[in-house]
Amino acid sequence: MSAKVGVVTFPGTLDDQDARRAVRLAGATPVQLWHQDADLHEVDAIVLAGGFSYGDYLRCGAIARFAPVMESIVEAAGRGMPVLGICNGFQVLTEAHLLDGALMRNEHKKFICRDQVLRVENNHTAWTSEFIEGEEILIPLKNGEGNFRADPHTVERLEGEGQVVFRYAGPLGNPNGSLNDIAGITNAKGNVVGLMPHPEHAVEPGFGPTPGSHNRAGTDGLKFFTSAINAVLV
């Protein structure tokens, strides 16, 4: 039996095709979910892909949060369905209050695009079980508003309860000024994860990050999707 992973397309989404390809390479069946359709078509997991939903008007993710598909996703996430938000998808998840905090303009006020080292802080979520806690992975990053912010109490809780999933690491360090070098977080249940870097761009040798000491094949991103598939097939 093949798992079905839905990938949401909003107006302005850029990476939905890449995400569906990643799902296919991981061994699941990708299902396109349209923003105006509240029907999730019996998928087992959901990916909110990167881009500029609704042109980032008003605020990144703020309009997408009210799309009909999001009402169904919020309900499904509450039941425990795995949901992954990548870049703009992460922003949408914070706007929908499925994840804490907010993503603001990069500290240096510039768009940044590079291969980014991440350190895995939590491998007990639906999207990270294939990783080893403490390992460093290489994932492409491209954002202008990836600066994670939250009030001190929220940050303390996220840190204390192990809800920080990834931190920026490596020689280049923090690319956008995020508090505590936070690159990705999870909800308390561990089924909803958001991160700024793009794992769907690191799923096949020769088409991902430049091979190096952290990742010889450039395929660290594939483990996000195989983790979720294993979670829903258990």
Side-chain angles (χ1 to χ4, degrees):
M1 175 179 132
S2 175
K4 294 169 62 179
V5 179
V7 178
V8 180
T9 299
F10 298 103
T13 298
L14 299 180
D15 298 300
D16 46 343
Q17 292 189 49
D18 302 83
R20 292 198 299 271
R21 180 170 174 272
V23 167
R24 190 177 299 109
L25 289 172
T29 301
V31 177
Q32 184 173 13
L33 300 178
W34 185 237
H35 68 114
Q36 290 184 326
D37 186 1
D39 186 353
L40 298 182
H41 300 281
E42 300 182 338
V43 298
D44 302 297
I46 293 171
V47 176
L48 299 177
F52 304 90
S53 59
Y54 295 93
D56 278 350
Y57 290 113
L58 182 62
R59 189 175 59 249
C60 295
I63 299 176
R65 179 262 178 274
F66 293 102
V69 72
M70 285 305 301
E71 296 181 20
S72 301
I73 290 173
V74 169
E75 181 181 348
R79 298 195 305 267
M81 180 180 289
V83 178
L84 177 67
I86 302 169
C87 197
N88 186 240
F90 186 7
Q91 296 162 344
V92 174
L93 291 178
T94 62
E95 291 289 342
H97 304 296
L98 286 175
L99 290 175
D100 293 312
L103 286 308
M104 300 178 64
R105 287 287 302 276
N106 290 348
E107 193 172 55
H108 45 69
K109 304 297 189 296
K110 295 181 180 179
F111 186 91
I112 188 167
C113 180
R114 73 189 191 196
D115 291 342
Q116 176 67 48
V117 178
L118 303 179
R119 184 171 64 250
V120 180
E121 299 287 339
N122 180 347
N123 66 345
H124 298 292
T125 80
W127 298 92
T128 60
S129 62
E130 296 290 298
F131 295 108
I132 299 171
E133 189 172 317
E135 77 170 299
E136 293 188 346
I137 62 176
L138 192 63
I139 301 293
L141 174 143
K142 49 175 184 173
N143 65 69
E145 295 173 290
N147 185 354
F148 180 80
R149 296 278 130 180
D151 65 84
H153 174 73
T154 297
V155 173
E156 181 179 7
R157 177 172 51 79
L158 290 173
E159 295 282 7
E161 297 182 6
Q163 289 179 240
V164 175
V165 182
F166 298 101
R167 293 188 206 276
Y168 298 114
L172 295 178
N174 188 329
N176 47 39
S178 291
L179 289 172
N180 295 13
D181 299 328
I182 292 173
I185 61 173
T186 185
N187 65 343
K189 292 181 180 179
N191 63 304
V192 180
V193 169
L195 78 160
M196 290 310 297
H198 287 257
E200 78 280 13
H201 295 325
V203 295
E204 188 174 14
F207 296 92
T210 302
S213 59
H214 290 285
N215 182 352
R216 295 186 181 276
T219 58
D220 281 337
L222 195 63
K223 292 182 179 180
F224 286 81
F225 303 96
T226 55
S227 292
I229 292 168
N230 290 335
V232 300
L233 292 181
V234 169

